[in-house]
Amino acid sequence: MNIIDWFLDRFRLKTVHRGIFDRDIPEGISYFYCFGGIAFSAFLFCFISGLFLSLHYIPSEKEAYQSILRIQEEVPLGKLIRGIHKWSANVLIVSIIFHSIRVFVTKSYRPPRELNWVVGVLVFLIIMLEGFTGYLLPWDQKAYWATVVGTNIAGSIPFVGETILLIIRGNYEVSGVTLSRFYSFHVLWFPSIIILLLWAHFHMIKKLGISKPL
Amino acid sequence: MSINKQLEKINRRVFLKKVIKSFFLVISLILPFIWLTILKPKNPKRRDFKFFEIPKDKYPKEGLKKVDIKIDEKKYFKIFLVNRNDNSLIALSPVCTHLGCFVNFNRYNNEFICPCHGGRYDIEGRVITGPPKENLQRLPVKIENDKIYVGLII
Amino acid sequence: MKKKFYPDYLIEILFFAILTFELILILTFIFPPLIGREIDLLVAYQPRPEWYYLWLFWLLRYFSADTVFIGGVLVPLSIVSFLILVPWIDKKIGWKFTALIAFTFLLIFLIATIIEAIS
């Protein structure tokens, strides 16, 4: 027994009742079914490039902009990794949109897969929030004003608006407090929620199988 | 084992299950509450007017002048000083009342235009058209010892 | 022979993953990331959101200051709740009408994005 077999066996990846690899795939899956996979790989690229970026980024009012400049100009491969992070985020959103169109057109959300659809919508929502929180992190003009406008929208809700604004910004103005909490959301809260939800998503796909094509 | 004892055991089970369920229910109710409490600042700095001096040469003879006010070492803030025809001075905040972008002054039309969603104000900061409803905020102007001070919310 | 997830399907997924990565690399080299200027409270600045928020930005033009929350909060929330409820709406009114609503949303999204992008 070689070491890979030993690992797969001890990890119980090879037992029949638990194997994620031993699923049947229904006949007639077209290439329109690939967008979910593309979205997941784009998420992974985002995740990994984000891990690298976080090694050099400093989420503070004074240092944030300087550290982004350093990533752009001094850090080896920094610009490339930043580009990958940005573009994989864009590809992620485009492919999620196509994935959900595909799921809608093939009516795959119908019972028993309603919950999986709901989980997918939640993932999409949180990815959008990731886009919003990530926009502030460079702490440049564009980031600052976009966040001012974006949070002012939440602040415009009657009666509870000001409280919500304070909860989002941590202050009356967009400031260093806002930056550090957006950073926390962007790199800790939202990714962990996304990973949990994606686990649920894949778990349900595994248990329910891919829906039969029309 | 007597039937009574068995029944007792089943009841115990039911009770334990209920305890476990309510434990998780309570935790899941408390967590969002903690989350919000942590996020909401305890004593957010109340916005208050702080007065800054305006240099003499920035004083508009007529019409409007954009004035940059130094707040600290690196931070500047711009305001608009408007000299009305009756020689009274008003200071206008550049913050658009729609969603908080900074407005520009257009010299050809004598209007403020917000670049974000196209709100327009006249030279005294009153809304002409566009999404904003409220006029541009007027900042308090103080004149002491022949010097002009403008109050800013920082 | 029936297709199995491993290896028949996984190899296709991997192929697409690599293709995606290449696409991302090409995009990165053609459009490298930029960094704006430092925060400056002196100049008026027109912030523009990423393309996937442009439709919201466009929508806000039509809501005056005291109704901003309708366009900025209620409309997105109702779209999200529509999306979440799609399986049950489908059950109630049938696929065709659900598709009609969804298609309208998509069309508005596309048109608004394009209008806002070129303006």
Short mmCIF file of all heavy atoms in Angstrom, two decimals, chain A residues 21 23-25 31 65 68 72 82-83 87-88 90 93 104 107 109-110 117 128 131 135 139-142 146 153 156, chain C residues 3-6 24 28 31 33-40 43 47-48 50-53 60 69 72 83 90 95 99:
data_model
loop_
_atom_site.label_atom_id
_atom_site.label_comp_id
_atom_site.label_asym_id
_atom_site.label_seq_id
_atom_site.Cartn_x
_atom_site.Cartn_y
_atom_site.Cartn_z
N PHE A 21 -15.62 11.50 -4.32
CA PHE A 21 -15.15 11.34 -5.71
C PHE A 21 -15.96 10.32 -6.48
O PHE A 21 -15.91 10.26 -7.69
CB PHE A 21 -13.67 10.93 -5.72
CG PHE A 21 -12.76 12.05 -5.33
CD1 PHE A 21 -11.57 11.79 -4.68
CD2 PHE A 21 -13.08 13.36 -5.64
CE1 PHE A 21 -10.71 12.83 -4.33
CE2 PHE A 21 -12.24 14.40 -5.30
CZ PHE A 21 -11.05 14.13 -4.64
N ARG A 23 -19.06 9.96 -7.07
CA ARG A 23 -20.43 10.27 -7.45
C ARG A 23 -20.67 9.98 -8.92
O ARG A 23 -19.77 10.09 -9.74
CB ARG A 23 -20.72 11.75 -7.20
CG ARG A 23 -20.65 12.12 -5.79
CD ARG A 23 -20.21 13.54 -5.61
NE ARG A 23 -20.78 14.42 -6.61
CZ ARG A 23 -20.32 15.63 -6.84
NH1 ARG A 23 -19.28 16.07 -6.17
NH2 ARG A 23 -20.86 16.38 -7.73
N ASP A 24 -21.91 9.65 -9.19
CA ASP A 24 -22.28 9.53 -10.61
C ASP A 24 -22.68 10.90 -11.12
O ASP A 24 -23.27 11.70 -10.42
CB ASP A 24 -23.48 8.57 -10.75
CG ASP A 24 -23.02 7.14 -10.56
OD1 ASP A 24 -21.85 6.87 -10.89
OD2 ASP A 24 -23.82 6.33 -10.07
N ILE A 25 -22.36 11.11 -12.37
CA ILE A 25 -22.76 12.35 -13.02
C ILE A 25 -23.80 11.97 -14.06
O ILE A 25 -23.57 11.07 -14.86
CB ILE A 25 -21.56 13.02 -13.71
CG1 ILE A 25 -20.45 13.29 -12.69
CG2 ILE A 25 -21.98 14.28 -14.42
CD1 ILE A 25 -20.80 14.31 -11.66
N TYR A 31 -21.63 22.06 -21.39
CA TYR A 31 -20.60 22.93 -20.84
C TYR A 31 -21.19 24.12 -20.11
O TYR A 31 -20.46 24.87 -19.48
CB TYR A 31 -19.62 23.36 -21.92
CG TYR A 31 -18.66 22.24 -22.23
CD1 TYR A 31 -18.73 21.52 -23.42
CD2 TYR A 31 -17.69 21.88 -21.30
CE1 TYR A 31 -17.87 20.48 -23.67
CE2 TYR A 31 -16.83 20.83 -21.54
CZ TYR A 31 -16.92 20.13 -22.73
OH TYR A 31 -16.08 19.11 -22.96
N TYR A 65 -2.63 53.39 2.75
CA TYR A 65 -2.30 53.83 1.39
C TYR A 65 -0.84 53.54 1.07
O TYR A 65 -0.52 53.05 -0.01
CB TYR A 65 -2.60 55.32 1.28
CG TYR A 65 -2.38 55.88 -0.10
CD1 TYR A 65 -3.26 55.57 -1.13
CD2 TYR A 65 -1.28 56.68 -0.38
CE1 TYR A 65 -3.06 56.07 -2.39
CE2 TYR A 65 -1.07 57.18 -1.64
CZ TYR A 65 -1.97 56.88 -2.65
OH TYR A 65 -1.76 57.37 -3.89
N ILE A 68 -0.27 49.90 0.33
CA ILE A 68 -0.73 49.51 -1.01
C ILE A 68 0.29 49.98 -2.05
O ILE A 68 0.64 49.23 -2.98
CB ILE A 68 -2.11 50.11 -1.33
CG1 ILE A 68 -3.18 49.48 -0.45
CG2 ILE A 68 -2.47 49.91 -2.78
CD1 ILE A 68 -3.69 48.17 -0.93
N GLN A 72 2.31 47.71 -4.64
CA GLN A 72 2.33 47.97 -6.09
C GLN A 72 3.75 48.06 -6.62
O GLN A 72 4.03 47.58 -7.71
CB GLN A 72 1.63 49.31 -6.38
CG GLN A 72 0.15 49.27 -6.38
CD GLN A 72 -0.41 48.76 -7.67
OE1 GLN A 72 -0.60 47.56 -7.82
NE2 GLN A 72 -0.69 49.61 -8.62
N ARG A 82 -1.92 41.58 -6.82
CA ARG A 82 -3.05 42.50 -6.65
C ARG A 82 -3.97 42.42 -7.86
O ARG A 82 -5.20 42.42 -7.73
CB ARG A 82 -2.52 43.92 -6.48
CG ARG A 82 -3.44 44.71 -5.65
CD ARG A 82 -2.94 46.06 -5.28
NE ARG A 82 -4.11 46.89 -5.13
CZ ARG A 82 -4.33 48.00 -5.80
NH1 ARG A 82 -3.43 48.45 -6.63
NH2 ARG A 82 -5.45 48.66 -5.65
N GLY A 83 -3.36 42.34 -9.05
CA GLY A 83 -4.17 42.21 -10.26
C GLY A 83 -4.98 40.94 -10.26
O GLY A 83 -6.16 40.95 -10.62
N TRP A 87 -8.97 40.88 -10.53
CA TRP A 87 -9.65 40.30 -11.68
C TRP A 87 -10.35 39.00 -11.34
O TRP A 87 -11.40 38.69 -11.92
CB TRP A 87 -8.68 40.11 -12.84
CG TRP A 87 -8.47 41.41 -13.52
CD1 TRP A 87 -7.34 42.17 -13.51
CD2 TRP A 87 -9.43 42.15 -14.28
NE1 TRP A 87 -7.55 43.34 -14.19
CE2 TRP A 87 -8.80 43.34 -14.69
CE3 TRP A 87 -10.75 41.92 -14.65
CZ2 TRP A 87 -9.47 44.30 -15.45
CZ3 TRP A 87 -11.41 42.88 -15.40
CH2 TRP A 87 -10.76 44.04 -15.80
N SER A 88 -9.81 38.24 -10.41
CA SER A 88 -10.55 37.02 -10.06
C SER A 88 -11.84 37.39 -9.33
O SER A 88 -12.82 36.66 -9.45
CB SER A 88 -9.70 36.05 -9.25
OG SER A 88 -9.03 36.69 -8.23
N ASN A 90 -13.66 39.95 -10.17
CA ASN A 90 -14.59 40.25 -11.25
C ASN A 90 -15.08 39.00 -11.94
O ASN A 90 -16.28 38.85 -12.20
CB ASN A 90 -13.91 41.18 -12.27
CG ASN A 90 -13.87 42.61 -11.78
OD1 ASN A 90 -14.81 43.09 -11.19
ND2 ASN A 90 -12.75 43.26 -11.98
N ILE A 93 -17.70 37.24 -9.88
CA ILE A 93 -19.07 37.75 -9.92
C ILE A 93 -19.74 37.43 -11.25
O ILE A 93 -20.90 36.99 -11.29
CB ILE A 93 -19.06 39.25 -9.61
CG1 ILE A 93 -18.78 39.42 -8.11
CG2 ILE A 93 -20.40 39.89 -9.97
CD1 ILE A 93 -18.75 40.80 -7.63
N PHE A 104 -31.17 28.60 -13.07
CA PHE A 104 -32.56 29.03 -13.26
C PHE A 104 -33.15 28.40 -14.51
O PHE A 104 -34.28 27.89 -14.49
CB PHE A 104 -32.62 30.56 -13.34
CG PHE A 104 -34.02 31.07 -13.35
CD1 PHE A 104 -34.70 31.25 -12.18
CD2 PHE A 104 -34.66 31.35 -14.55
CE1 PHE A 104 -36.00 31.70 -12.18
CE2 PHE A 104 -35.95 31.80 -14.56
CZ PHE A 104 -36.63 31.98 -13.37
N LYS A 107 -33.95 24.87 -14.30
CA LYS A 107 -34.91 24.64 -13.21
C LYS A 107 -34.33 23.73 -12.13
O LYS A 107 -35.04 22.93 -11.51
CB LYS A 107 -36.20 24.02 -13.75
CG LYS A 107 -36.82 24.87 -14.82
CD LYS A 107 -38.10 24.24 -15.33
CE LYS A 107 -38.72 25.09 -16.41
NZ LYS A 107 -38.95 24.40 -17.66
N TYR A 109 -33.36 24.51 -9.29
CA TYR A 109 -33.64 24.93 -7.92
C TYR A 109 -34.90 24.27 -7.37
O TYR A 109 -35.27 24.49 -6.24
CB TYR A 109 -33.82 26.46 -7.88
CG TYR A 109 -34.85 26.95 -8.86
CD1 TYR A 109 -36.19 26.90 -8.53
CD2 TYR A 109 -34.48 27.40 -10.11
CE1 TYR A 109 -37.15 27.30 -9.43
CE2 TYR A 109 -35.42 27.81 -11.02
CZ TYR A 109 -36.75 27.75 -10.67
OH TYR A 109 -37.69 28.14 -11.57
N ARG A 110 -35.56 23.48 -8.21
CA ARG A 110 -36.82 22.89 -7.77
C ARG A 110 -36.57 21.82 -6.71
O ARG A 110 -35.48 21.30 -6.60
CB ARG A 110 -37.53 22.28 -8.98
CG ARG A 110 -38.13 23.38 -9.81
CD ARG A 110 -39.09 22.86 -10.82
NE ARG A 110 -39.77 23.96 -11.46
CZ ARG A 110 -40.45 23.85 -12.58
NH1 ARG A 110 -40.52 22.70 -13.19
NH2 ARG A 110 -41.05 24.89 -13.11
N TRP A 117 -30.36 26.42 -3.52
CA TRP A 117 -30.52 27.70 -4.21
C TRP A 117 -30.41 28.85 -3.22
O TRP A 117 -29.73 29.85 -3.46
CB TRP A 117 -31.87 27.73 -4.94
CG TRP A 117 -32.28 29.06 -5.44
CD1 TRP A 117 -33.02 29.98 -4.77
CD2 TRP A 117 -31.97 29.66 -6.71
NE1 TRP A 117 -33.19 31.11 -5.53
CE2 TRP A 117 -32.55 30.93 -6.74
CE3 TRP A 117 -31.24 29.24 -7.83
CZ2 TRP A 117 -32.44 31.79 -7.83
CZ3 TRP A 117 -31.14 30.09 -8.92
CH2 TRP A 117 -31.74 31.34 -8.91
N MET A 128 -20.99 40.05 -2.91
CA MET A 128 -21.19 41.47 -3.23
C MET A 128 -20.70 42.34 -2.08
O MET A 128 -20.07 43.39 -2.29
CB MET A 128 -22.67 41.77 -3.48
CG MET A 128 -23.25 41.12 -4.70
SD MET A 128 -22.64 41.80 -6.23
CE MET A 128 -23.75 43.16 -6.48
N GLY A 131 -17.12 42.71 -2.14
CA GLY A 131 -16.72 43.72 -3.11
C GLY A 131 -16.80 45.11 -2.51
O GLY A 131 -15.90 45.93 -2.69
N TYR A 135 -13.44 47.46 -1.44
CA TYR A 135 -13.23 48.70 -2.19
C TYR A 135 -12.59 49.78 -1.32
O TYR A 135 -11.89 50.64 -1.82
CB TYR A 135 -14.60 49.19 -2.69
CG TYR A 135 -14.55 49.92 -4.00
CD1 TYR A 135 -14.04 49.31 -5.13
CD2 TYR A 135 -15.05 51.22 -4.12
CE1 TYR A 135 -14.01 49.96 -6.33
CE2 TYR A 135 -15.02 51.88 -5.33
CZ TYR A 135 -14.50 51.25 -6.42
OH TYR A 135 -14.47 51.91 -7.61
N TRP A 139 -7.73 52.75 0.51
CA TRP A 139 -7.75 54.01 1.24
C TRP A 139 -7.28 55.16 0.36
O TRP A 139 -6.54 56.05 0.79
CB TRP A 139 -6.88 53.90 2.50
CG TRP A 139 -7.21 54.89 3.56
CD1 TRP A 139 -6.36 55.85 4.04
CD2 TRP A 139 -8.42 55.05 4.31
NE1 TRP A 139 -6.98 56.58 5.02
CE2 TRP A 139 -8.24 56.12 5.20
CE3 TRP A 139 -9.66 54.40 4.28
CZ2 TRP A 139 -9.23 56.54 6.08
CZ3 TRP A 139 -10.64 54.82 5.15
CH2 TRP A 139 -10.42 55.88 6.03
N ASP A 140 -7.70 55.16 -0.89
CA ASP A 140 -7.42 56.29 -1.76
C ASP A 140 -8.72 57.07 -1.99
O ASP A 140 -9.75 56.76 -1.38
CB ASP A 140 -6.79 55.82 -3.09
CG ASP A 140 -7.65 54.82 -3.82
OD1 ASP A 140 -8.71 54.49 -3.29
OD2 ASP A 140 -7.26 54.38 -4.90
N GLN A 141 -8.63 58.07 -2.84
CA GLN A 141 -9.79 58.93 -3.09
C GLN A 141 -11.04 58.13 -3.44
O GLN A 141 -12.10 58.30 -2.86
CB GLN A 141 -9.48 59.86 -4.28
CG GLN A 141 -8.70 61.07 -3.91
CD GLN A 141 -9.57 62.13 -3.28
OE1 GLN A 141 -9.94 62.00 -2.13
NE2 GLN A 141 -9.87 63.17 -4.00
N LYS A 142 -10.87 57.25 -4.44
CA LYS A 142 -12.00 56.48 -4.94
C LYS A 142 -12.62 55.65 -3.82
O LYS A 142 -13.83 55.66 -3.61
CB LYS A 142 -11.49 55.57 -6.06
CG LYS A 142 -12.53 54.88 -6.85
CD LYS A 142 -11.90 54.27 -8.08
CE LYS A 142 -11.19 52.98 -7.73
NZ LYS A 142 -10.81 52.21 -8.92
N ALA A 146 -16.35 56.46 -2.38
CA ALA A 146 -17.35 55.42 -2.66
C ALA A 146 -17.94 54.90 -1.36
O ALA A 146 -19.14 54.63 -1.26
CB ALA A 146 -16.72 54.28 -3.44
N ILE A 153 -26.06 55.76 2.06
CA ILE A 153 -27.31 55.14 1.63
C ILE A 153 -27.95 54.40 2.79
O ILE A 153 -29.14 54.56 3.08
CB ILE A 153 -27.06 54.16 0.47
CG1 ILE A 153 -26.58 54.91 -0.76
CG2 ILE A 153 -28.31 53.38 0.14
CD1 ILE A 153 -26.10 54.01 -1.86
N SER A 156 -29.57 56.60 5.30
CA SER A 156 -30.75 57.36 4.91
C SER A 156 -32.05 56.67 5.33
O SER A 156 -33.12 57.22 5.12
CB SER A 156 -30.75 57.56 3.40
OG SER A 156 -30.90 56.32 2.76
N LYS C 3 -20.55 8.34 -16.52
CA LYS C 3 -19.52 9.31 -16.14
C LYS C 3 -19.41 9.36 -14.63
O LYS C 3 -20.41 9.40 -13.93
CB LYS C 3 -19.93 10.69 -16.65
CG LYS C 3 -19.10 11.19 -17.82
CD LYS C 3 -19.60 12.57 -18.17
CE LYS C 3 -18.55 13.42 -18.80
NZ LYS C 3 -19.03 14.77 -19.06
N LYS C 4 -18.19 9.34 -14.16
CA LYS C 4 -17.97 9.48 -12.73
C LYS C 4 -17.44 10.89 -12.47
O LYS C 4 -16.83 11.50 -13.33
CB LYS C 4 -16.93 8.46 -12.26
CG LYS C 4 -17.46 7.05 -12.20
CD LYS C 4 -18.04 6.78 -10.84
CE LYS C 4 -18.37 5.30 -10.71
NZ LYS C 4 -19.22 5.03 -9.58
N PHE C 5 -17.66 11.31 -11.23
CA PHE C 5 -17.11 12.63 -10.86
C PHE C 5 -15.59 12.61 -10.98
O PHE C 5 -14.99 13.54 -11.52
CB PHE C 5 -17.53 12.98 -9.44
CG PHE C 5 -17.01 14.30 -8.98
CD1 PHE C 5 -17.59 15.47 -9.43
CD2 PHE C 5 -15.93 14.37 -8.12
CE1 PHE C 5 -17.10 16.69 -9.02
CE2 PHE C 5 -15.45 15.59 -7.71
CZ PHE C 5 -16.03 16.75 -8.16
N TYR C 6 -15.01 11.50 -10.45
CA TYR C 6 -13.57 11.37 -10.51
C TYR C 6 -13.25 10.15 -11.32
O TYR C 6 -13.75 9.07 -10.99
CB TYR C 6 -13.02 11.23 -9.08
CG TYR C 6 -11.56 10.93 -8.98
CD1 TYR C 6 -10.63 11.93 -9.17
CD2 TYR C 6 -11.11 9.64 -8.69
CE1 TYR C 6 -9.29 11.66 -9.07
CE2 TYR C 6 -9.76 9.37 -8.59
CZ TYR C 6 -8.85 10.38 -8.77
OH TYR C 6 -7.51 10.12 -8.68
N ILE C 24 -7.66 35.27 -16.15
CA ILE C 24 -7.37 36.27 -15.12
C ILE C 24 -5.98 36.87 -15.33
O ILE C 24 -5.78 38.08 -15.25
CB ILE C 24 -7.50 35.64 -13.73
CG1 ILE C 24 -8.96 35.34 -13.42
CG2 ILE C 24 -6.93 36.55 -12.66
CD1 ILE C 24 -9.16 34.44 -12.24
N THR C 28 -5.04 40.66 -16.09
CA THR C 28 -4.12 41.39 -15.21
C THR C 28 -3.03 42.09 -16.00
O THR C 28 -2.64 43.21 -15.69
CB THR C 28 -3.49 40.43 -14.20
OG1 THR C 28 -4.51 39.68 -13.58
CG2 THR C 28 -2.70 41.18 -13.16
N PHE C 31 -4.90 44.94 -18.17
CA PHE C 31 -5.38 46.02 -17.30
C PHE C 31 -4.79 45.85 -15.92
O PHE C 31 -5.43 45.29 -15.04
CB PHE C 31 -6.91 45.99 -17.20
CG PHE C 31 -7.62 45.96 -18.51
CD1 PHE C 31 -8.14 44.77 -19.01
CD2 PHE C 31 -7.76 47.11 -19.27
CE1 PHE C 31 -8.81 44.73 -20.22
CE2 PHE C 31 -8.41 47.07 -20.48
CZ PHE C 31 -8.93 45.88 -20.96
N PRO C 33 -3.70 46.58 -12.10
CA PRO C 33 -4.44 47.32 -11.09
C PRO C 33 -3.85 48.71 -10.90
O PRO C 33 -2.65 48.90 -11.03
CB PRO C 33 -4.25 46.47 -9.83
CG PRO C 33 -2.99 45.75 -10.06
CD PRO C 33 -2.94 45.47 -11.52
N LEU C 34 -4.71 49.65 -10.63
CA LEU C 34 -4.27 51.02 -10.44
C LEU C 34 -4.47 51.41 -9.00
O LEU C 34 -5.23 50.80 -8.27
CB LEU C 34 -5.08 51.96 -11.34
CG LEU C 34 -4.98 51.68 -12.82
CD1 LEU C 34 -6.02 52.49 -13.56
CD2 LEU C 34 -3.59 51.99 -13.32
N ILE C 35 -3.80 52.45 -8.60
CA ILE C 35 -4.08 53.00 -7.30
C ILE C 35 -4.36 54.48 -7.47
O ILE C 35 -3.66 55.18 -8.21
CB ILE C 35 -2.95 52.74 -6.30
CG1 ILE C 35 -3.19 53.42 -4.97
CG2 ILE C 35 -1.61 53.14 -6.83
CD1 ILE C 35 -3.24 52.47 -3.85
N GLY C 36 -5.43 54.95 -6.82
CA GLY C 36 -5.83 56.34 -6.97
C GLY C 36 -4.95 57.26 -6.14
O GLY C 36 -3.95 56.83 -5.56
N ARG C 37 -5.34 58.51 -6.08
CA ARG C 37 -4.57 59.45 -5.28
C ARG C 37 -4.95 59.33 -3.81
O ARG C 37 -5.96 58.75 -3.46
CB ARG C 37 -4.82 60.87 -5.78
CG ARG C 37 -4.27 61.06 -7.17
CD ARG C 37 -4.44 62.47 -7.66
NE ARG C 37 -4.22 63.44 -6.61
CZ ARG C 37 -4.88 64.58 -6.53
NH1 ARG C 37 -5.82 64.85 -7.39
NH2 ARG C 37 -4.62 65.43 -5.57
N GLU C 38 -4.10 59.88 -2.98
CA GLU C 38 -4.35 59.84 -1.56
C GLU C 38 -5.63 60.63 -1.25
O GLU C 38 -6.00 61.53 -2.00
CB GLU C 38 -3.18 60.45 -0.82
CG GLU C 38 -2.88 59.77 0.49
CD GLU C 38 -1.57 60.26 1.06
OE1 GLU C 38 -0.74 60.79 0.30
OE2 GLU C 38 -1.38 60.10 2.26
N ILE C 39 -6.24 60.32 -0.13
CA ILE C 39 -7.48 61.01 0.24
C ILE C 39 -7.21 62.49 0.37
O ILE C 39 -6.26 62.91 1.02
CB ILE C 39 -8.03 60.46 1.56
CG1 ILE C 39 -8.44 59.01 1.38
CG2 ILE C 39 -9.21 61.28 2.03
CD1 ILE C 39 -8.85 58.36 2.66
N ASP C 40 -8.05 63.26 -0.30
CA ASP C 40 -7.81 64.69 -0.37
C ASP C 40 -9.17 65.36 -0.25
O ASP C 40 -10.04 65.17 -1.09
CB ASP C 40 -7.16 64.99 -1.74
CG ASP C 40 -6.83 66.45 -1.88
OD1 ASP C 40 -7.15 67.22 -0.96
OD2 ASP C 40 -6.28 66.82 -2.93
N VAL C 43 -10.48 68.49 -3.24
CA VAL C 43 -11.04 68.44 -4.58
C VAL C 43 -12.36 67.67 -4.57
O VAL C 43 -12.55 66.75 -3.78
CB VAL C 43 -10.07 67.75 -5.56
CG1 VAL C 43 -8.91 68.65 -5.85
CG2 VAL C 43 -9.59 66.44 -5.01
N PRO C 47 -16.93 59.58 -7.10
CA PRO C 47 -16.61 58.17 -6.91
C PRO C 47 -17.49 57.32 -7.81
O PRO C 47 -18.66 57.62 -8.00
CB PRO C 47 -16.96 57.93 -5.43
CG PRO C 47 -18.02 58.90 -5.15
CD PRO C 47 -17.82 60.09 -6.04
N ARG C 48 -16.88 56.32 -8.37
CA ARG C 48 -17.67 55.38 -9.16
C ARG C 48 -17.46 54.00 -8.58
O ARG C 48 -16.33 53.59 -8.35
CB ARG C 48 -17.25 55.41 -10.62
CG ARG C 48 -17.73 56.66 -11.32
CD ARG C 48 -17.08 56.78 -12.66
NE ARG C 48 -17.59 55.78 -13.57
CZ ARG C 48 -18.76 55.87 -14.18
NH1 ARG C 48 -19.53 56.91 -13.98
NH2 ARG C 48 -19.15 54.94 -15.00
N GLU C 50 -17.58 49.80 -8.39
CA GLU C 50 -17.25 48.75 -9.34
C GLU C 50 -18.45 48.51 -10.25
O GLU C 50 -19.58 48.89 -9.91
CB GLU C 50 -16.91 47.45 -8.61
CG GLU C 50 -15.51 47.40 -8.03
CD GLU C 50 -14.45 47.21 -9.09
OE1 GLU C 50 -14.76 47.16 -10.29
OE2 GLU C 50 -13.27 47.13 -8.71
N TRP C 51 -18.22 47.85 -11.36
CA TRP C 51 -19.30 47.72 -12.35
C TRP C 51 -20.52 47.03 -11.79
O TRP C 51 -21.65 47.34 -12.19
CB TRP C 51 -18.79 47.00 -13.59
CG TRP C 51 -18.30 45.61 -13.32
CD1 TRP C 51 -17.03 45.25 -13.01
CD2 TRP C 51 -19.07 44.41 -13.28
NE1 TRP C 51 -16.96 43.91 -12.77
CE2 TRP C 51 -18.19 43.36 -12.95
CE3 TRP C 51 -20.41 44.11 -13.51
CZ2 TRP C 51 -18.62 42.05 -12.82
CZ3 TRP C 51 -20.83 42.80 -13.40
CH2 TRP C 51 -19.93 41.79 -13.06
N TYR C 52 -20.33 46.14 -10.80
CA TYR C 52 -21.52 45.42 -10.34
C TYR C 52 -22.38 46.23 -9.40
O TYR C 52 -23.42 45.77 -8.96
CB TYR C 52 -21.14 44.07 -9.70
CG TYR C 52 -19.93 44.09 -8.82
CD1 TYR C 52 -20.01 44.44 -7.49
CD2 TYR C 52 -18.69 43.76 -9.34
CE1 TYR C 52 -18.88 44.45 -6.70
CE2 TYR C 52 -17.57 43.78 -8.56
CZ TYR C 52 -17.66 44.12 -7.23
OH TYR C 52 -16.55 44.14 -6.44
N TYR C 53 -21.95 47.45 -9.06
CA TYR C 53 -22.82 48.34 -8.30
C TYR C 53 -23.30 49.52 -9.14
O TYR C 53 -24.01 50.38 -8.63
CB TYR C 53 -22.11 48.87 -7.06
CG TYR C 53 -22.05 47.89 -5.93
CD1 TYR C 53 -20.84 47.44 -5.42
CD2 TYR C 53 -23.21 47.39 -5.37
CE1 TYR C 53 -20.78 46.54 -4.39
CE2 TYR C 53 -23.17 46.49 -4.33
CZ TYR C 53 -21.95 46.08 -3.85
OH TYR C 53 -21.91 45.18 -2.82
N LEU C 60 -29.95 55.60 -8.11
CA LEU C 60 -30.02 56.65 -7.08
C LEU C 60 -30.22 58.03 -7.68
O LEU C 60 -30.57 58.96 -6.97
CB LEU C 60 -28.78 56.62 -6.21
CG LEU C 60 -28.73 55.43 -5.26
CD1 LEU C 60 -27.48 55.47 -4.44
CD2 LEU C 60 -29.94 55.44 -4.36
N PHE C 69 -33.47 55.88 0.61
CA PHE C 69 -33.45 54.51 1.16
C PHE C 69 -34.33 53.56 0.35
O PHE C 69 -34.09 52.36 0.35
CB PHE C 69 -33.88 54.52 2.63
CG PHE C 69 -35.34 54.75 2.84
CD1 PHE C 69 -36.18 53.68 3.09
CD2 PHE C 69 -35.86 56.02 2.77
CE1 PHE C 69 -37.54 53.89 3.28
CE2 PHE C 69 -37.22 56.24 2.96
CZ PHE C 69 -38.04 55.17 3.21
N GLY C 72 -31.93 52.77 -2.46
CA GLY C 72 -30.66 52.22 -2.03
C GLY C 72 -30.77 51.02 -1.12
O GLY C 72 -29.84 50.23 -1.02
N LEU C 83 -34.92 36.70 -5.13
CA LEU C 83 -34.02 35.61 -5.52
C LEU C 83 -34.10 34.45 -4.55
O LEU C 83 -34.15 33.28 -4.94
CB LEU C 83 -32.58 36.12 -5.59
CG LEU C 83 -32.22 36.89 -6.85
CD1 LEU C 83 -30.79 37.40 -6.78
CD2 LEU C 83 -32.37 35.99 -8.06
N ASP C 90 -41.81 30.17 -8.02
CA ASP C 90 -41.97 29.28 -9.17
C ASP C 90 -43.15 28.34 -8.96
O ASP C 90 -44.00 28.15 -9.83
CB ASP C 90 -40.66 28.51 -9.36
CG ASP C 90 -40.74 27.51 -10.49
OD1 ASP C 90 -41.74 27.55 -11.24
OD2 ASP C 90 -39.81 26.71 -10.65
N TRP C 95 -43.06 28.68 -13.91
CA TRP C 95 -41.70 29.05 -14.29
C TRP C 95 -41.70 30.25 -15.21
O TRP C 95 -40.85 31.12 -15.09
CB TRP C 95 -41.03 27.85 -14.98
CG TRP C 95 -39.57 28.09 -15.24
CD1 TRP C 95 -38.57 27.94 -14.35
CD2 TRP C 95 -38.98 28.52 -16.46
NE1 TRP C 95 -37.37 28.27 -14.93
CE2 TRP C 95 -37.60 28.63 -16.23
CE3 TRP C 95 -39.47 28.84 -17.72
CZ2 TRP C 95 -36.69 29.01 -17.21
CZ3 TRP C 95 -38.57 29.23 -18.70
CH2 TRP C 95 -37.21 29.32 -18.45
N ALA C 99 -39.59 33.53 -14.66
CA ALA C 99 -38.52 33.85 -15.60
C ALA C 99 -38.69 35.26 -16.16
O ALA C 99 -37.70 35.98 -16.36
CB ALA C 99 -38.52 32.83 -16.75
#
